[in-house]
Amino acid sequence: MRKRRLLEPFRIGKMELKNRIVLPPMLCKYATQEGYVTERLKNYYEARARGGAALIIVEATYIHKQGWCYATQLSIRDDKYLPGLSELTQVIHRHGAKAAIQLHHGGRLAKSALSGMQPVAPSAIASAGSPLPGMGGEVSKELTVKEIAEIVNCFAEAALRARKAGFDGVEIHGAHGYLVSQFLSRSYNKRQDSYGGNLANRTRFLVEVIKAIKKAVGGDYPVWCRINGMEYGVNEGITLEEAQGTARMAQEAGSDAIHVSATGPKAPNNLPSHTFVPAVLEELAAGIKKVVTVPVIAVGKMTPDAAERILAEGKADLIAMGRALLADPELPNKIAENRLEDVTPCIECFGCRNDIFSNKLEIGCHVNAALGKEKEYQIIPAKKPKKVLVVGGGPAGMEAARVAALRGHRVTLWEKEPRLGGQLVQAAIPPYKDRVSLLPEYLQRQLRKLNVTIELNKEATVALIEEFKPEVVILATGVKPLLPEIKGLHKAHVVQAGDVLENKAEVGNRVVIIGGELVGCETAEFLAERGKKVLVMRRGPEMATGVGPSLRPFLLDRLSEKGVTLLTGVRYNEVTSGGIVVTTKDGEKKIFKADTIVLAAGAVPDQKLYEDIKGKVPEVHCIGDCVEPRTIRDAIGDGYRIGLQI
């Protein structure tokens, strides 16, 4: 078998890399409120270095208080941060990886609530039109030429600190709508002086930052920039042609590489595709590669196969894998060991991105419960292997079985259905959700490899469990659909949303869906694509409130585009054989005809077996949705935690 190009050594300037795999800078919010390195942050980065990535680019680290965007964002604005940053480089170097750090200034996206200072920008534009969800609202102050020079100097001083801390290189954050990219974009840069107008003027700030850093740290020290290859859906946004010009000027100024990303409300790297498409920004990287001679780093939903193809076609020199390395830090090692079937898959849920742009103080991962808990969630062999019975083959049950088996327990799993997967099977069916199917497939492969005994079509009872004589029982029995109390519900053709998705129920042409959270909205899109006339209604004032900020607006837009009617604030009066009668939020009584009524009104925990078995086995645990209906992340988290605990 030919050695993968991904595993070939490479270099940026004089920095030698053991392979071509890069951890791109991704904000994880594991620093302190003041921006200091924590043990948790070190453990997170060390896990990715140990996993085999050649270059670890530490997340956006702010260089000036006025550029501070996020609580618990890492800082390099003062020498007082050096001890922690030095410790961080040491844990990365421990595993043969090189360490770089991304220097960041938020510009107009910075928060005065954090810094106590008004945000600054090339031009005084309110940041409500931010390409980033959850960012904006403040009016920024236009920078003077003197203030621009001061910020350039701050970048240089931060780079010098990075070198003193032991970093092997620095990356200038010139993408994603922050200060440097604000200068580059005509949409946000309305200046009339030498820093605005034509492309050379708009690139001047970046060029000055590169030159100042090179002067401060020395010409041999690797310095490069991350830029937008395009701003998608932004009026007067950066085009690929402009990005090519910026890349050429950056190289001439001394940039040792170009890291090509993208931003904007329609950027494909930040949106799911109807059916998963990898390497969504490869043509942007290829476009930059055509005009520069320094290495080009490509990013954007990378898979190992897509990365190999991009390298073979000469579209880029290095491959950044972001969310994939959140999901599985051991991905590079598994590629090297030809164990791709053992890679924990990123399911493109955007949960980590939602965490960044919400009020949460840290990111998590739906498929990797150990993210941010790398030290305390190490899988250590059990002191005394036990006979463990897991009841339920959904994500919680399978993850509990996997972790328990890894620790040496003798595990048997019973599932009443003829297949494993639980609600993951239904979750993978709606449009834009096909990546979810990779998770149950991965878990099933791992259970087989770990010799977990799996019995399908087996419904657990107290008698069967007592006969089996387990030392530990883990109940992952899931939920039962909630039946809303609506007069006459029995009179109509009423089906459950899950049965609709799995084609277990007939659906007429006119459909009313009761319930407007994720399941109801996704089922509506599923049916609309099949030509059904769909109305979604709910009691609450808004639709899909539980869907994260990265995806909710796009889901609602798609429903609108596909002709789905959304009705909020209703009061259900009664169901008839021909439809449903409601009172609208305006107090108007309305009758909606329906051939089929689909219930997506929620679920209740199925705890009957738990109540029946308590006290009849030595140890029993209840996990996943049978505790409380929640998310895939909660199910995987419960399973992992119990697998470690027993």
Side-chain angles (χ1 to χ4, degrees):
M1 179 179 173
R2 185 186 179 282
K3 184 179 179 182
R4 288 179 175 266
R5 287 181 174 84
L6 267 177
L7 303 177
E8 294 173 348
F10 202 74
R11 61 195 305 156
I12 295 177
K14 292 193 174 183
M15 179 174 63
E16 296 186 0
L17 304 173
K18 63 183 179 181
N19 60 48
R20 299 188 187 217
I21 300 173
V22 177
L23 175 75
M26 295 177 290
L27 196 73
C28 61
K29 297 186 176 181
Y30 298 154
T32 69
Q33 292 279 353
E34 298 79 26
Y36 289 97
V37 170
T38 61
E39 288 299 313
R40 188 181 193 190
L41 190 83
K42 288 188 288 185
N43 294 337
Y44 161 79
Y45 281 110
E46 183 171 11
R48 273 91 204 146
R50 187 190 305 115
L55 174 60
I56 304 293
I57 308 178
V58 171
E59 64 203 77
T61 304
Y62 70 95
I63 60 155
H64 188 284
K65 191 175 182 180
Q66 204 164 14
W68 188 2
C69 282
Y70 305 92
T72 65
Q73 183 182 359
L74 198 61
S75 179
I76 194 170
R77 65 187 173 92
D78 190 276
D79 286 351
K80 66 185 180 182
Y81 296 99
L82 282 176
L85 291 168
S86 297
E87 292 173 9
L88 180 56
T89 60
Q90 289 169 30
V91 300
I92 293 171
H93 288 151
R94 190 177 295 162
H95 303 282
K98 292 296 193 295
I101 191 166
Q102 187 183 64
L103 306 180
H104 173 263
H105 190 299
R108 72 190 191 93
L109 298 185
K111 298 288 182 62
S112 62
L114 295 172
S115 67
M117 307 167 77
Q118 182 184 9
V120 293
S123 304
I125 300 173
S127 56
S130 163
L132 304 174
M135 301 286 287
E138 298 189 62
V139 176
S140 51
K141 173 187 175 297
E142 182 170 310
L143 286 162
T144 65
V145 172
K146 181 182 178 182
E147 288 168 333
I148 290 172
E150 289 170 354
I151 293 176
V152 169
N153 187 56
C154 285
F155 270 101
E157 290 177 348
L160 192 57
R161 288 188 196 102
R163 182 161 196 173
K164 289 177 180 176
F167 285 98
D168 303 290
V170 296
E171 176 175 282
I172 300 158
H173 198 338
H176 304 166
Y178 299 111
L179 183 62
V180 176
S181 70
Q182 290 161 26
F183 271 94
L184 296 172
S185 175
R186 288 175 297 158
S187 183
Y188 310 115
N189 184 346
K190 306 297 183 182
R191 299 177 72 95
Q192 301 298 313
D193 62 3
S194 61
Y195 289 94
N198 64 42
L199 183 62
N201 282 356
R202 285 182 278 122
T203 304
R204 188 180 307 279
F205 178 60
L206 172 60
V207 166
E208 289 180 354
V209 169
I210 294 169
K211 288 181 176 179
I213 290 176
K214 281 286 188 177
K215 184 177 180 181
V217 298
D220 290 343
Y221 187 71
V223 176
W224 64 91
C225 57
R226 194 179 208 194
I227 64 171
N228 295 315
M230 187 176 291
E231 285 183 320
Y232 291 86
V234 176
N235 185 38
E236 293 189 299
I238 294 166
T239 64
L240 176 57
E241 184 179 4
E242 287 181 323
Q244 288 174 320
T246 294
R248 281 193 295 263
M249 286 183 266
Q251 176 177 306
E252 290 168 6
S255 184
D256 294 298
I258 307 291
H259 190 171
V260 185
S261 189
T263 193
K266 296 183 179 179
N269 50 319
N270 294 324
L271 288 175
S273 46
H274 192 282
T275 301
F276 178 73
V277 177
V280 291
L281 303 181
E282 64 177 283
E283 294 309 321
L284 300 183
I288 300 300
K289 179 72 176 162
K290 288 176 183 177
V291 300
V292 297
T293 56
V294 294
V296 169
I297 307 171
V299 72
K301 300 186 185 181
M302 288 294 178
T303 63
D305 288 343
E308 281 296 313
R309 177 180 55 75
I310 288 167
L311 293 175
E313 293 173 0
K315 291 182 174 180
D317 304 289
L318 294 157
I319 302 295
M321 294 183 171
R323 289 184 283 254
L325 284 167
L326 296 182
D328 193 338
E330 289 289 324
L331 172 60
N333 287 341
K334 290 176 181 178
I335 292 172
E337 295 161 6
N338 199 28
R339 294 171 48 217
L340 292 183
E341 73 279 3
D342 293 332
V343 172
T344 308
C346 169
I347 60 172
E348 206 184 23
C349 65
F350 291 87
C352 53
R353 183 173 164 81
N354 287 333
D355 293 342
I356 292 172
F357 299 119
S358 70
N359 292 325
K360 292 186 178 180
L361 293 179
E362 60 192 46
I363 64 167
C365 178
H366 276 36
V367 300
N368 178 13
L371 179 65
K373 302 174 183 175
E374 282 79 10
K375 188 170 185 179
E376 57 267 46
Y377 266 30
Q378 292 179 68
I379 294 177
I380 299 170
K383 293 180 181 178
K384 181 191 174 188
K386 296 178 180 178
K387 183 180 182 181
V388 177
L389 174 64
V390 178
V391 179
M398 286 195 286
E399 181 72 346
R402 183 186 75 89
V403 176
L406 280 170
R407 296 185 58 231
H409 294 298
R410 304 181 304 279
V411 184
T412 298
L413 186 150
W414 292 351
E415 168 55 52
K416 66 179 180 180
E417 298 290 334
R419 46 86 173 146
L420 295 176
Q423 293 187 77
L424 290 176
V425 175
Q426 296 172 2
I429 295 171
Y432 298 84
K433 296 293 289 294
D434 61 315
R435 284 284 289 186
V436 173
S437 65
L438 298 182
L439 180 56
E441 292 168 5
Y442 157 77
L443 289 169
Q444 288 178 64
R445 284 195 302 272
Q446 299 312 301
L447 296 187
R448 286 196 299 270
K449 286 192 169 193
L450 293 165
N451 296 316
V452 172
T453 301
I454 299 171
E455 297 185 39
L456 302 177
N457 297 300
K458 183 153 186 174
E459 186 162 4
T461 64
V462 174
L464 283 173
I465 293 173
E466 288 183 317
E467 181 184 337
F468 186 72
K469 294 183 173 58
E471 295 172 83
V472 180
V473 175
I474 300 173
L475 296 178
T477 47
V479 294
K480 298 178 291 186
L482 177 66
L483 290 175
E485 293 184 7
I486 304 175
K487 181 183 175 182
L489 197 61
H490 63 283
K491 295 179 181 179
H493 179 215
V494 178
V495 297
Q496 291 290 339
D499 291 335
V500 171
L501 293 172
E502 292 197 65
N503 289 319
K504 293 179 179 179
E506 291 291 328
V507 178
N509 289 323
R510 293 175 303 182
V511 182
V512 169
I513 297 177
I514 296 176
E517 277 302 337
L518 178 64
V519 173
C521 290
E522 287 186 340
T523 304
E525 185 173 19
F526 173 83
L527 290 172
E529 289 199 348
R530 283 152 182 77
K532 308 297 184 182
K533 184 176 176 61
V534 185
L535 164 64
V536 183
M537 55 177 61
R538 73 174 308 181
R539 292 187 176 96
E542 293 184 310
M543 291 286 174
T545 57
V547 180
S550 291
L551 298 182
R552 182 175 182 267
F554 307 105
L555 171 60
L556 296 178
D557 285 349
R558 295 198 308 267
L559 292 177
S560 177
E561 290 167 4
K562 293 170 184 176
V564 174
T565 302
L566 305 177
L567 191 62
T568 58
V570 306
R571 188 171 75 248
Y572 301 110
N573 297 337
E574 67 173 318
V575 171
T576 68
S577 59
I580 185 168
V581 183
V582 303
T583 301
T584 69
K585 60 186 175 184
D586 299 322
E588 183 181 357
K589 190 174 182 180
K590 281 196 170 186
I591 301 172
F592 295 97
K593 293 181 179 180
D595 302 313
T596 307
I597 293 177
V598 177
L599 297 181
V604 293
D606 185 357
Q607 295 187 341
K608 184 179 184 306
L609 186 58
Y610 178 67
E611 296 298 330
D612 291 345
I613 204 172
K614 278 192 302 185
K616 297 181 179 179
V617 294
E619 186 179 341
V620 61
H621 302 276
C622 201
I623 63 172
D625 282 357
C626 71
V627 177
E628 180 185 359
R630 292 165 293 164
T631 65
I632 295 172
R633 182 187 296 187
D634 295 309
I636 293 291
D638 277 6
Y640 197 108
R641 176 178 50 81
I642 290 298
L644 285 182
Q645 182 178 319
I646 59 174

